[in-house]
Amino acid sequence: MQRIPTFRKGGVHPDDKKVLSCGHAIEKLPVPSELIVSLSQHLGAPAAPTKQKGDVVTRGEKIGVASGFISADVHSPVTGTIKEIRKVTLANSVSCDAFVIIPDEQQPEDAYQRVDWQAQKPEELLSVVKDMGIVGLGGATFPAHVKLTVPKGKSVDYLVINGVECEPYLTADHRVMLERTDGALTGIMIAARITDPKHIIIGVEMNKPDAIARLKERIAALGYPIDVMSLKMKYPQGDEKQLLKATIRKEIPSGKLPLDVGAIVCNIGTCYAVYEACAYHKPLMERVMTVTGECIATPKNILAPIGTKVADLIAFCGGFSTEPEKLVSGGPMMGFAFYDDQTPVAKGTSGILALPASKSVASTPCISCGRCVAACPMGLTPNRLYRNISHENYEEAMKLGLMDCKECGCCAYVCPAHLPLVHGMKTGKKMGRKKK
Amino acid sequence: MINILYAFLVVTGLGLLLGFGLAFAAKKLEVPKDPRLAQMEPIMPNANCGGCGYPGCAGYAAAVVAGEAPIGLCAPGGSELSRKMAEIMGLDSAPVSEKMVAFVHCIGSVATTNKDYRYEGMTDCNAASLLFSGDNSCKSGCLRLGSCIKVCPADAISRQEDGRIVVDPDLCIGCKKCTAVCPNGVIKMVPASATYVVACNNHESGAKVRKACSVGCIGCKICENKFPESGCKVVNFLSEIDYSSSQAQIVDAANACPQKCIVPMRGGDVEAGMNQVVAQRD
């Protein structure tokens, strides 16, 4: 019997709760009455604004330009007027300048012309990706043009496409694979043209059999050289390190990137955005996100403009069925809890969750049971890290590999003492960096 | 019997030989130590707080003797130590420094300051500040989780019954460890001779402060305009006291402050003022 591929070390199996929203087709959100488009929707330096208060913007017009090597352009998702530029705090506590845009009553129809991307050179495609402000849509929002740039002297053996979506609740990528299959697959081929890999693999977890079947069917019909690999369900398989271990059985050394083992990992949603950018020159200004949770009346997968306020999304889903205890941007394991429903969504927002009160349990002292060590996919010792961090011994924690922690939350998920382990790791990283 | 004698003689002989060897080495290979260092080490406060930037008191003393560090960096020792050090170093004058102590520029408590959300994370101010700069609606106030209490080498910082964090100015040695650890920069140094302090750190406009906290400085300028001799000056919606001025009217200014956020540094009636504000609000 063949073993179903997955990564070996650590990992947990949370209840995936995807049934709440996975059956709902993607719905387009009507243009909201106000959008808050932040200038820092990506990893790296915030974009520099190119418009001012009172300016009229059209849909797809560039309103912020990348202000550094790792940075990305920002485009207006609507035709309208800029009411003001003010400081906003995003769900991940990042505070930055944002455009407040009042959309016009009449929005123009999209009329993007098909471009023959096959005729373009890889460098041209790459500059289009940069120009259209594409960032990784899996959550880390790393600028796509930087990721797809292969440095001289390095070659790409594997282009691994991430269709895992291992976070519970989220079904946005699942719906993209089902409904936007051709676009996503073409996007993969565009990414392949830019990076020139030897093999292309899509990794999908087995809880999405319909997506796997659909991908296989369309790949056969279109004749693309793409392998679909069904993976065993295990969190955090959607992290690039775990995904590479599961698909190509390679481990990235500490502090290195996938490129150092000859691989590039790209999210399936990003591939669709690359397709729209290169085949239609349409900028990244809307994305599919899942609005779900036990407290949402009708959970949905929504195609919403970037900058939509969370309150508008929730209203579109029929409001709350019960008063939620917690709002989370992203998945429940790695997402960010926030409190203000006027917070705008950004390019990296894969979902909005409204969660009910869980049985509130106070944390108790660590009994060194070692469950966190067994669960850590990076092979760290979260109990020792946490002990050092709570005693302000950040240097020792750094020596124990704190910087390899990617805050996946497996340790906190299994901790019987309910210690805020991930919160501790984040604090340790912040303070450790400050000390240096 | 003879065996015991042999053993006795061998061990004694070895002992004498090695003893002479050591005595010779100690004389021959002696590293001359500056006599000034020997004089200086006993007068150091030995708090080993690191506030001077050197590894402990001995490290600072050695740096001063070597001429690498100026006199007057030691906060716990103050002017008295500077004078003694200058004497040892053979200098005519010593830098006179005013003793500075830490003060928590926030008197907000659960009763006065609103919360944005319920915080259930680590009991650590820097951890809490990762989440929207803490759970208080006021984003520049004291988070009251006590990271400063943990780092204070002099045990000068304590928590009041209502959760407020207070520095005892008489115990504070001025090492500035708490000012470095505080994520909101709410602990700032004030002269130990100060009588009244503006206990607020919020630079936002009055309307915003009022929404967040009932004892925050709203920048109304009553202290500055009505009591020009108080030393108060409002900069960016926050009153600041010029401690070098006479501060003659500071008591009147404190009484007139509508938010009761100009508070006496020692003892004083902070609680009574706050209760009054809370009572008025309710």
Side-chain angles (χ1 to χ4, degrees):
Chain A
M1 199 185 91
Q2 205 193 347
R3 189 194 283 272
I4 308 162
T6 185
F7 63 100
R8 276 284 186 74
K9 209 187 284 170
V12 291
H13 299 91
D15 182 0
D16 74 4
K17 311 261 182 123
K18 289 184 193 279
V19 72
L20 287 172
S21 59
C22 72
H24 292 78
I26 299 170
E27 286 180 54
K28 195 169 188 307
L29 184 81
V31 177
S33 57
E34 187 180 272
L35 291 177
I36 303 172
V37 184
S38 139
L39 284 164
S40 182
Q41 307 197 25
H42 45 265
L43 209 69
T50 56
K51 295 282 172 183
Q52 281 161 5
K53 183 179 168 179
D55 283 0
V56 173
V57 290
T58 53
R59 179 168 158 88
E61 191 179 349
K62 201 175 279 185
I63 53 177
V65 285
S67 64
F69 177 61
I70 298 186
S71 186
D73 295 348
V74 178
H75 302 77
S76 171
V78 287
T79 300
T81 321
I82 295 174
K83 188 178 148 201
E84 58 175 333
I85 299 177
R86 71 168 142 102
K87 267 226 157 356
V88 294
T89 308
L90 299 179
N92 56 359
S93 287
V94 170
S95 197
C96 59
D97 282 333
F99 290 106
V100 180
I101 303 176
I102 306 291
D104 293 348
E105 296 256 318
Q106 287 296 313
Q107 290 292 326
E109 286 288 311
D110 275 351
Y112 290 101
Q113 296 295 313
R114 176 102 192 181
V115 186
D116 185 17
W117 61 270
Q118 268 138 330
Q120 289 185 307
K121 289 201 204 81
E123 301 84 61
E124 287 168 351
L125 289 171
L126 203 57
S127 74
V128 173
V129 168
K130 181 177 189 303
D131 220 32
M132 296 296 135
I134 310 293
V135 300
L137 297 183
T141 60
F142 193 78
H145 65 274
V146 183
K147 182 177 256 187
L148 294 176
T149 306
V150 184
K152 277 218 173 77
K154 291 209 170 162
S155 66
V156 180
D157 294 332
Y158 296 95
L159 175 65
V160 180
I161 305 301
N162 189 346
V164 172
E165 203 163 53
C166 60
E167 278 265 12
Y169 289 98
L170 301 184
T171 53
D173 286 353
H174 185 181
R175 293 313 303 185
V176 168
M177 285 188 279
L178 277 178
E179 295 176 43
R180 303 178 146 198
T181 327
D182 286 12
L185 291 173
T186 312
I188 295 171
M189 294 316 291
I190 296 171
R193 189 172 162 79
I194 297 172
T195 54
D196 190 26
K198 295 193 182 78
H199 308 276
I200 310 170
I201 302 167
I202 307 181
V204 188
E205 275 191 357
M206 290 179 75
N207 57 356
K208 297 181 262 295
D210 48 349
I212 296 171
R214 173 94 183 136
L215 285 171
K216 282 188 172 159
E217 180 200 321
R218 291 310 302 163
I219 287 168
L222 295 166
Y224 289 152
I226 304 175
D227 285 334
V228 179
M229 207 164 182
S230 47
L231 308 169
K232 198 170 155 183
M233 282 145 58
K234 193 162 153 190
Y235 177 86
Q237 197 144 239
D239 183 273
E240 58 185 18
K241 295 196 175 182
Q242 271 58 45
L243 183 63
L244 287 183
K245 190 78 185 147
T247 51
I248 63 171
R249 317 230 47 73
K250 282 194 179 171
E251 191 163 314
I252 308 169
S254 165
K256 300 274 182 180
L257 295 170
L259 253 179
D260 294 306
V261 296
I264 286 182
V265 182
C266 201
N267 179 272
I268 189 94
T270 318
C271 290
Y272 187 79
V274 167
Y275 159 74
E276 284 198 328
C278 293
Y280 292 98
H281 286 191
K282 181 181 170 188
L284 177 59
M285 49 196 182
E286 51 196 14
R287 68 159 294 160
V288 180
M289 58 190 79
T290 310
V291 181
T292 180
E294 282 84 349
C295 296
I296 296 282
T298 41
K300 283 178 182 172
N301 296 295
I302 303 174
L303 177 68
I306 305 297
T308 306
K309 285 183 277 187
V310 170
D312 293 330
L313 287 169
I314 291 169
F316 185 63
C317 293
F320 297 125
S321 53
T322 49
E323 193 56 32
E325 171 78 1
K326 201 179 199 179
L327 288 175
V328 176
S329 162
M333 299 292 282
M334 284 191 75
F336 302 94
F338 62 103
Y339 62 90
D340 185 4
D341 68 356
Q342 297 299 307
T343 306
V345 297
K347 288 177 183 173
T349 311
S350 45
I352 298 290
L353 314 181
L355 304 176
S358 56
K359 206 170 58 189
S360 186
V361 257
S363 20
T364 53
C366 171
I367 54 164
S368 294
C369 65
R371 280 197 217 171
C372 52
V373 181
C376 180
M378 299 307 286
L380 301 172
T381 46
N383 53 344
R384 289 179 70 193
L385 290 171
Y386 186 76
R387 194 164 58 218
N388 278 301
I389 291 162
S390 48
H391 291 98
E392 290 98 38
N393 196 354
Y394 307 115
E395 278 151 44
E396 182 65 20
M398 305 270 262
K399 276 186 213 152
L400 289 169
L402 174 62
M403 285 309 178
D404 282 334
C405 167
K406 51 201 168 57
E407 302 158 17
C408 65
C410 291
C411 50
Y413 181 79
V414 297
C415 181
H418 304 286
L419 291 169
L421 290 166
V422 180
H423 192 197
M425 304 303 157
K426 288 185 183 179
T427 311
K429 284 186 190 178
K430 174 189 157 196
M431 299 307 286
R433 283 200 196 103
K434 206 164 123 187
K435 278 256 163 87
K436 261 190 177 172
Chain B
M1 192 59 202
I2 195 85
N3 288 346
I4 294 171
L5 191 67
Y6 272 141
F8 180 77
L9 285 175
V10 165
V11 172
T12 315
L14 261 179
L16 282 172
L17 195 68
L18 293 175
F20 278 117
L22 277 177
F24 177 74
K27 273 276 171 243
K28 188 84 185 162
L29 305 172
E30 189 189 355
V31 179
K33 197 176 173 187
D34 199 316
R36 292 176 297 179
L37 190 59
Q39 282 176 295
M40 210 172 281
E41 273 171 355
I43 61 163
M44 300 302 284
N46 280 326
N48 285 324
C49 63
C52 53
Y54 289 86
C57 294
Y60 177 52
V64 169
V65 170
E68 288 162 6
I71 292 172
L73 293 183
C74 180
S79 301
E80 177 64 17
L81 180 72
S82 299
R83 194 183 53 73
K84 283 187 192 164
M85 282 177 130
E87 213 168 78
I88 293 169
M89 295 298 287
L91 300 174
D92 296 335
S93 62
V96 179
S97 53
E98 162 106 72
K99 189 178 180 198
M100 302 292 275
V101 294
F103 188 85
V104 182
H105 286 64
C106 176
I107 49 167
S109 66
V110 183
T112 61
T113 313
N114 299 331
K115 297 261 181 200
D116 278 342
Y117 60 92
R118 200 176 74 239
Y119 176 72
E120 284 181 350
M122 278 178 97
T123 315
D124 181 290
C125 300
N126 282 294
S129 84
L130 286 176
L131 297 160
F132 304 98
S133 309
D135 55 351
N136 290 330
S137 299
C138 169
K139 296 302 178 194
S140 38
C142 177
L143 297 170
R144 302 193 291 274
L145 292 167
S147 286
C148 49
I149 300 178
K150 284 196 268 181
V151 298
C152 181
D155 276 346
I157 312 181
S158 59
R159 188 191 300 275
Q160 303 296 103
E161 266 175 30
D162 58 357
R164 283 183 304 119
I165 309 281
V166 172
V167 183
D168 185 333
D170 299 320
L171 289 179
C172 177
I173 57 170
C175 69
K176 297 188 192 169
K177 278 196 169 172
C178 50
T179 60
V181 80
C182 179
N184 284 353
V186 76
I187 307 185
K188 289 182 276 197
M189 304 305 284
V190 297
S193 59
T195 49
Y196 277 77
V197 184
V198 180
C200 183
N201 188 38
N202 195 323
H203 278 287
E204 283 178 317
S205 67
K208 283 185 182 165
V209 173
R210 270 183 200 278
K211 265 186 201 161
C213 174
S214 53
V215 288
C217 175
I218 51 173
C220 65
K221 295 203 175 182
I222 289 179
C223 50
E224 183 184 336
N225 293 342
K226 281 201 177 167
F227 306 99
E229 293 297 305
S230 66
C232 292
K233 193 163 171 30
V234 176
V235 183
N236 262 343
F237 302 106
L238 180 61
S239 179
E240 284 166 12
I241 297 175
D242 179 6
Y243 297 109
S244 60
S245 70
S246 69
Q247 303 169 54
Q249 290 178 309
I250 190 71
V251 182
D252 301 328
N255 289 333
C257 176
Q259 298 292 92
K260 296 281 172 270
C261 59
I262 304 179
V263 298
M265 189 166 87
R266 282 184 173 76
D269 223 5
V270 181
E271 250 105 279
M274 282 212 328
N275 291 340
Q276 197 186 329
V277 171
V278 173
Q280 275 171 9
R281 192 185 63 163
D282 296 340

